[in-house]
C-alpha cells in the first residue's frame, strides 16, 4: 500500500497511443488474461491502436466498468484504478546510469502513474 491505499504503478512512454488515454482519463484498468489468450496479447503488444482496430482484429469484448474505464470480458482479473499521481522519470534520478543510457538513448522517459485500486473483478 501507499498513502493508506492499495495502489498499482503503471509506466507509459509519451509516444505510445495509450499515453493520451492515460492523460485524459481519471480512471484506468489493468486487465489480466489466462494463457489461452497469449496470441491476442502478442497481437495487441505488436500493433498500435493508432493503426489498427484491435477489438475487431482480436475479437475481444469491451466492457465499461463501474468507474467508466474499459476492460475486456475475456479477462480473468481486472483492477479498476483511480489515477492519483503522475510524474515523468528524469535522467538525473537514475542511480544506474547504464540503464538510462541503454533504455533511453533519446531521452523518451516513461511517465509513471500511481492508481488507487478501487474495484477488483475476478472470473470464477
Amino acid at each position: 500500500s501507499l498513502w493508506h491505499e492499495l495502489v498499482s504503478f503503471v509506466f507509459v512512454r509519451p509516444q505510445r497511443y495509450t499515453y493520451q488515454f492515460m492523460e485524459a482519463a481519471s480512471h484506468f484498468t489493468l486487465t489480466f488474461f489466462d494463457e489461452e489468450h497469449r496470441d491476442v496479447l502478442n497481437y495487441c503488444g505488436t500493433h498500435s491502436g493508432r493503426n489498427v482496430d484491435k477489438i475487431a482484429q482480436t475479437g475481444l469484448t469491451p466492457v465499461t466498468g463501474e468507474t467508466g474505464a474499459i476492460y475486456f470480458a475475456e479477462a480473468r482479473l481486472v483492477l479498476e484504478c483511480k489515477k492519483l499521481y503522475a510524474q515523468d522519470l528524469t535522467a538525473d534520478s537514475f542511480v544506474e546510469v547504464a540503464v538510462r543510457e541503454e533504455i533511453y538513448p533519446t531521452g523518451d522517459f516513461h511517465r509513471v502513474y500511481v492508481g488507487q485500486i478501487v474495484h477488483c473483478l475476478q472470473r470464477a
Side-chain angles (χ1 to χ4, degrees):
S1 72
L2 178 70
W3 306 322
H4 306 292
E5 302 293 347
L6 295 176
V7 298
S8 64
F9 295 86
V10 178
F11 294 80
V12 182
R13 276 190 161 133
Q15 67 266 38
R16 297 291 182 208
Y17 193 46
T18 300
Y19 183 85
Q20 71 186 39
F21 298 108
M22 290 294 288
E23 286 296 295
S26 62
H27 292 78
F28 61 91
T29 59
L30 299 176
T31 309
F32 302 87
F33 293 86
D34 287 327
E35 188 62 32
E36 69 189 66
H37 296 288
R38 175 66 47 204
D39 290 345
V40 167
L41 297 177
N42 286 336
Y43 180 86
C44 289
T46 57
H47 294 79
S48 173
R50 282 189 185 106
N51 305 319
V52 298
D53 181 344
K54 291 183 184 184
I55 294 168
Q57 294 298 315
T58 61
L60 290 174
T61 309
V63 177
T64 302
E66 291 183 38
T67 64
I70 303 296
Y71 66 92
F72 298 104
E74 294 80 5
R76 72 171 164 79
L77 175 66
V78 176
L79 301 178
E80 287 190 80
C81 302
K82 177 182 178 183
K83 196 166 53 175
L84 298 178
Y85 180 83
Q87 182 174 352
D88 295 330
L89 299 183
T90 61
D92 61 344
S93 293
F94 279 85
V95 175
E96 183 56 57
V97 175
V99 171
R100 183 193 73 214
E101 292 172 348
E102 178 186 349
I103 305 300
Y104 302 104
T106 62
D108 60 337
F109 298 107
H110 284 87
R111 173 166 283 190
V112 61
Y113 298 91
V114 179
Q116 175 189 1
I117 301 169
V118 294
H119 294 110
C120 179
L121 308 164
Q122 189 168 11
R123 189 176 51 182

